[in-house]
Amino acid sequence: MHDVILNEKVLAKNIELAEHNRGKLREKGIFTINLISSPGSGKTSIVERTIEGLQGQMNIAVIEGDIQADLDLQRLMKFNIPVRQINTGRSCHLDAHMVKHTLPWLFDQGTVDFLIIENVGNMVCPAEYDLGEDIKVAIMSVTEGDDKPIKYPSMFDSSQFLLINKTDLIDYTNFNMDKAKTNALKINPHLKIIETSCTSGSGINDWIAAMTDEKTRKA
Amino acid sequence: MHDVILNEKVLAKNIELAEHNRGKLREKGIFTINLISSPGSGKTSIVERTIEGLQGQMNIAVIEGDIQADLDLQRLMKFNIPVRQINTGRSCHLDAHMVKHTLPWLFDQGTVDFLIIENVGNMVCPAEYDLGEDIKVAIMSVTEGDDKPIKYPSMFDSSQFLLINKTDLIDYTNFNMDKAKTNALKINPHLKIIETSCTSGSGINDWIAAMTDEKTRKA
């Protein structure tokens, strides 16, 4: 966010493009989630568990946002579903323009019901860029500290769901779950919070049920 | 990095201001480190251990960069040293202009030998903004995954030191230390890597010795 005036213009244009994307995605019956977190909070593991949980029930596609490389895309190849990489180069977030250019590819993949967009690992700028998704999902891990909502409020403020991930590690940290939730709900009282661990599988069923439910409600 | 042309201009101006800051800081004999990492990798704990390790040997001051709030500043009040908060608002990184405006305060604090700047938690943009520091120190924690250097190369590329932190948690993760180091050194073969844990204290003495050494060499 290097220049506030430029930024307002860029954000206004982004909202316009995001609305375009949302219109197109809904027209095709594609429910879209935008996953936002700091690097290393377990986004790609959450993507893997989500695919495992929803596969069979619906057709899933993934857009992977990364500064550089395609390691996450490679991790997802085993699922044999449509996955597309967007490399943002020096940009610290995806934007609606990048996603717009990926839609022709997406609409070429046959029936897709559920689109997962994994954003660049960053708690700040991705929260400000609507991509045309139905819901934003924030992820934080217990190893990051329970003060994150206070220090990086916009990610928590702009999301509908918060996954507090890596709960299997909580006993080895000084993370206070109640404090984390209180901090997050202070920023956004409507946030639906689910505790998850991709290692133990704890909470994943709740998360999958929530996504099935959200998809049904939006259909 | 919303617009490449604007960005080049902003970065060119930033380099100019950073050189100004570096000149002023060196004139006063202040050795400056700029700590960069993703949110929750333990930057503030490293700051605490650094103050504990260097206090008595030299006069330390800290500049705390955060989007919002002053939790980190509050954590450091116990040391009774000069600490100044910079809230960046919507900016995902500190820049040389912000630091320039903090220098009059800093030069008002009596003798300072060692300045720690804790950047906003973000692996992407802080790496591109020289603040006028002597060295950049990247921090990643073992809970973030050993693939981070490949996915976020610029932080590793622009730093002189890398702390691989939270090593006390390594047995509970699938983090591969050799792979992480190989990945980091592939990006930047000159990187000096130290494994640290602020919980067990492991590696902290090496880190403190390295900083004492760097300060002496630059004096």
Side-chain angles (χ1 to χ4, degrees):
Chain A
M1 305 295 149
H2 313 295
D3 181 285
V4 173
I5 297 166
L6 172 97
N7 196 30
E8 297 302 328
K9 278 192 198 166
V10 170
L11 285 176
K13 181 68 188 165
N14 186 73
I15 289 170
E16 204 184 301
L17 289 170
E19 287 305 334
H20 165 91
N21 293 348
R22 192 158 15 248
K24 293 281 178 196
L25 288 161
R26 288 196 174 161
E27 210 177 288
K28 301 269 182 186
I30 302 174
F31 181 78
T32 305
I33 67 172
N34 177 4
L35 299 185
I36 300 179
S37 83
S38 137
S41 65
K43 271 195 303 309
T44 313
S45 297
I46 289 288
V47 173
E48 291 177 316
R49 297 299 154 271
T50 310
I51 297 168
E52 286 162 7
L54 293 176
Q55 232 175 0
Q57 290 180 59
M58 41 185 123
N59 296 308
I60 307 161
V62 180
I63 295 174
E64 277 296 336
D66 276 300
I67 299 288
Q68 200 166 300
D70 64 352
L71 300 177
D72 294 342
L73 177 137
Q74 286 175 34
R75 273 177 68 178
L76 301 180
M77 292 303 274
K78 61 187 175 225
F79 293 111
N80 205 19
I81 61 168
V83 184
R84 181 79 163 209
Q85 181 78 43
I86 299 178
N87 280 132
T88 61
R90 282 162 69 189
S91 179
C92 60
H93 58 86
L94 290 173
D95 63 33
H97 186 79
M98 298 172 192
V99 172
K100 180 171 181 259
H101 280 280
T102 312
L103 295 185
W105 163 82
L106 180 67
F107 298 154
D108 236 28
Q109 304 303 312
T111 306
V112 170
D113 308 298
F114 196 96
L115 172 65
I116 304 170
I117 304 178
E118 183 180 344
N119 222 310
V120 177
N122 180 350
M123 273 187 161
V124 188
C125 302
E128 295 210 42
Y129 283 79
D130 186 355
L131 305 178
E133 68 274 356
D134 288 291
I135 57 169
K136 274 197 183 70
V137 178
I139 306 173
M140 66 181 283
S141 67
V142 302
T143 57
E144 291 170 37
D146 45 46
D147 59 353
K148 287 296 156 293
I150 308 297
K151 289 164 82 174
Y152 302 91
S154 69
M155 180 180 90
F156 298 87
D157 191 36
S158 64
S159 296
Q160 287 76 48
F161 281 84
L162 168 63
L163 303 187
I164 303 185
N165 197 29
K166 305 198 186 180
T167 52
D168 53 296
L169 295 178
I170 199 165
D171 290 346
Y172 312 112
T173 70
N174 59 2
F175 187 89
N176 182 322
M177 184 62 80
D178 288 340
K179 207 167 141 194
K181 288 181 176 177
T182 304
N183 284 340
L185 291 169
K186 216 180 281 171
I187 303 295
N188 178 358
H190 303 295
L191 209 46
K192 294 170 202 159
I193 303 178
I194 304 175
E195 299 175 27
T196 53
S197 163
C198 294
T199 302
S200 74
S202 163
I204 297 297
N205 285 345
D206 295 339
W207 159 245
I208 297 297
M211 284 306 97
T212 311
D213 190 45
E214 289 288 322
K215 157 83 179 143
T216 311
R217 289 204 298 140
K218 287 274 163 64
Chain B
M1 306 293 152
H2 311 298
D3 181 286
V4 173
I5 298 164
L6 172 96
N7 196 31
E8 296 304 327
K9 278 192 198 165
V10 170
L11 285 176
K13 181 71 188 161
N14 187 73
I15 288 170
E16 202 185 303
L17 290 169
E19 287 305 334
H20 165 92
N21 293 347
R22 192 159 13 247
K24 293 281 177 197
L25 288 161
R26 288 193 176 163
E27 209 177 288
K28 300 269 182 186
I30 302 175
F31 181 77
T32 304
I33 67 172
N34 178 4
L35 298 185
I36 301 181
S37 82
S38 141
S41 64
K43 269 191 307 306
T44 313
S45 298
I46 289 287
V47 172
E48 291 176 318
R49 295 302 153 270
T50 311
I51 297 168
E52 286 162 9
L54 293 176
Q55 233 176 359
Q57 290 181 57
M58 38 186 124
N59 295 308
I60 307 162
V62 180
I63 296 175
E64 277 295 336
D66 275 300
I67 299 286
Q68 201 167 299
D70 65 351
L71 300 178
D72 293 341
L73 177 137
Q74 287 175 35
R75 274 176 68 178
L76 302 181
M77 293 304 273
K78 60 186 172 224
F79 292 110
N80 205 19
I81 61 169
V83 184
R84 180 79 162 210
Q85 181 78 42
I86 299 178
N87 280 130
T88 60
R90 283 162 69 191
S91 180
C92 58
H93 57 87
L94 291 172
D95 63 35
H97 185 80
M98 298 173 193
V99 172
K100 179 172 183 255
H101 280 280
T102 312
L103 295 185
W105 163 82
L106 180 67
F107 299 153
D108 236 28
Q109 303 305 311
T111 306
V112 171
D113 308 296
F114 195 96
L115 172 64
I116 304 171
I117 304 178
E118 182 180 344
N119 221 308
V120 177
N122 179 351
M123 274 188 161
V124 187
C125 301
E128 295 210 40
Y129 285 78
D130 186 355
L131 305 178
E133 68 274 357
D134 288 291
I135 56 168
K136 276 198 181 69
V137 179
I139 305 173
M140 67 182 282
S141 68
V142 302
T143 58
E144 291 170 37
D146 45 47
D147 58 354
K148 287 296 155 296
I150 307 296
K151 290 165 81 176
Y152 302 91
S154 70
M155 180 180 90
F156 298 88
D157 190 35
S158 64
S159 296
Q160 287 75 48
F161 280 84
L162 168 64
L163 303 185
I164 303 185
N165 197 28
K166 304 197 186 183
T167 52
D168 55 292
L169 295 178
I170 198 165
D171 290 345
Y172 312 113
T173 70
N174 59 1
F175 187 89
N176 183 322
M177 184 60 83
D178 288 339
K179 208 166 140 193
K181 288 181 176 177
T182 305
N183 285 339
L185 292 169
K186 216 180 283 173
I187 303 296
N188 179 356
H190 304 293
L191 210 46
K192 293 170 202 157
I193 304 177
I194 304 175
E195 300 176 27
T196 52
S197 163
C198 293
T199 303
S200 75
S202 163
I204 297 297
N205 285 346
D206 294 337
W207 160 244
I208 297 298
M211 286 306 96
T212 311
D213 189 47
E214 290 287 323
K215 159 82 178 143
T216 311
R217 289 206 296 140
K218 287 275 163 60

